[in-house]
């Protein structure tokens, strides 16, 4: 018996590193997976990897667009009859600059639109479906950058990820009565091979890497599975009395 047997999970940003790992971990626990992303090529690759052992499908959708957010949720419900789990994972700093003087209005809009507005739009569409069956799990991807004044990413990212925490609490309050749990995960620096990991760890000097590790009480970077295991927990019945929470997966670098 898996922890998520016969549950239907939609994972946004499913073509990326953490999305792939969360999908695999949920599928191993028995969930059927639909991945969504704007990048069809990576969606195809992740989906065919999952399909080797599990039931999986994908839908191309831009979470920052209301019609697309609705379309991806409708696709899941048409295909599987319901949606049990939504992981609002699409996001990141999206190749935007870090320092104020370099940040243009379009950078602010891109980061806020995908991370924060996208989380809102997908949640709104999913809650409509989850309400009808009286249960559901929404898991939002925040970041250590939204928990503390990290200088690792720029102000738009910090604002968006901080906004996701407020949104998580507000939604949790509103939809708890319908049997829907809404929680957030705030990862620290994760070994994911992505840009953040490369720029802020692999490509930094030995001294900087040493400092990074020194600031982490557990003295190591996180692994994708650390985040994925937390997502499985929040999607399962083991967390049935947890809502509106933010789980820090950061080795103790920030303790909320
Ligand atoms: N990797 C880390 O160390 C780390 C740390 C803290 C938080 N996070 C958060 O975890 C999430 C996943 O990060 P990742 O490391 O897997 O990054 P990633 O870049 O590998 O994956 C992000 C995915 O989101 C997709 N995406 C971008 N814009 C989109 C849109 N408009 N609609 C739908 N999909 C879109 C991208 O195509 C990409 O596949 C992000 O929200 C990120 O901010 C990551």
């Amino acid at each position: 018996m898996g922890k998520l047997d016969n549950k239907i999970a939609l994972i946004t940003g499913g073509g990326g590193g953490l999305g792939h790992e969360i999908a695999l971990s949920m599928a191993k626990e028995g969930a059927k997976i639909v991945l969504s992303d704007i990048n069809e090529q990576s969606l195809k690759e992740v989906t065919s990897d999952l399909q080797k052992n599990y039931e999986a499908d994908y839908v191309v959708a831009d979470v920052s667009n209301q019609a697309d957010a609705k379309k991806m949720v409708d696709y899941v419900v048409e295909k599987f009859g319901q949606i049990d789990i939504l992981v609002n994972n699409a996001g990141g700093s999206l190749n935007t600059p870090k320092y104020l003087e370099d940040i243009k209005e379009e950078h602010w809009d891109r980061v806020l639109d995908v991370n924060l507005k996208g989380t809102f739009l997908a949640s709104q569409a999913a809650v409509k479906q989850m309400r009808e069956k009286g249960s559901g799990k929404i898991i939002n991807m925040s970041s250590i950058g939204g928990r503390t004044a990290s200088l690792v990413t720029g102000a738009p990212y910090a604002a968006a990820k901080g906004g996701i925490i407020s949104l998580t609490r507000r939604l949790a309050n509103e939809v708890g009565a319908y049997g829907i749990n809404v929680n957030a995960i705030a990862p620290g620096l994760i070994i994911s091979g992505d840009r953040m990991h490369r720029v802020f760890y692999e490509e930094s000097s030995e001294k900087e890497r040493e400092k990074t590790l020194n600031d982490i009480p557990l003295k190591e970077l996180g692994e994708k599975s650390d985040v994925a295991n937390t997502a499985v927990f929040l999607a399962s019945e083991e967390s049935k009395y947890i809502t509106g929470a933010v789980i820090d997966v950061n080795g103790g670098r920030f303790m909320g």
Side-chain angles (χ1 to χ4, degrees), residues 144 185-190 222-223 226-228 230 247-252 254:
I144 191 170
I185 301 175
L189 202 47
I190 304 295
E223 294 177 11
D226 294 318
V227 177
T230 308
I247 302 199
D248 292 305
V249 183
N250 63 24
F254 169 78

Side-chain angles (χ1 to χ4, degrees), residues 89-160:
N89 166 72
S93 50
L94 308 172
N95 298 317
T96 57
K98 183 165 144 181
Y99 294 109
L100 274 187
E101 59 270 28
D102 304 319
I103 297 170
K104 298 196 169 81
E105 186 179 354
E106 74 202 54
H107 298 136
W108 172 271
D109 288 346
R110 192 188 315 158
V111 172
L112 272 287
D113 278 358
V114 178
N115 288 275
L116 184 55
K117 185 174 148 192
T119 298
F120 168 72
L121 292 175
S123 301
Q124 189 183 41
V127 163
K128 201 160 174 270
Q129 301 292 339
M130 291 171 172
R131 252 185 98 150
E132 283 177 22
K133 62 184 185 66
S135 66
K137 305 277 192 179
I138 297 178
I139 299 159
N140 297 329
M141 202 57 80
S142 181
S143 164
I144 191 170
R147 295 285 274 160
T148 183
S150 159
L151 278 178
V152 168
T153 46
Y157 185 80

Side-chain angles (χ1 to χ4, degrees), residues 41-96:
Q41 186 52 40
S42 61
L43 267 182
K44 278 185 179 160
E45 286 165 18
V46 174
T47 306
S48 53
D49 179 51
L50 281 163
Q51 284 170 339
K52 288 179 203 152
N53 297 301
Y54 309 105
E55 193 164 344
D57 195 2
Y58 75 82
V59 54
V60 177
D62 175 351
V63 292
S64 67
N65 174 293
Q66 188 166 33
D68 268 24
K70 184 175 179 310
K71 178 188 84 175
M72 75 185 176
V73 171
D74 287 350
Y75 180 84
V76 176
V77 174
E78 269 158 38
K79 173 137 186 156
F80 291 108
Q82 64 194 65
I83 174 168
D84 300 298
I85 300 159
L86 167 67
V87 186
N88 283 310
N89 166 72
S93 50
L94 308 172
N95 298 317
T96 57

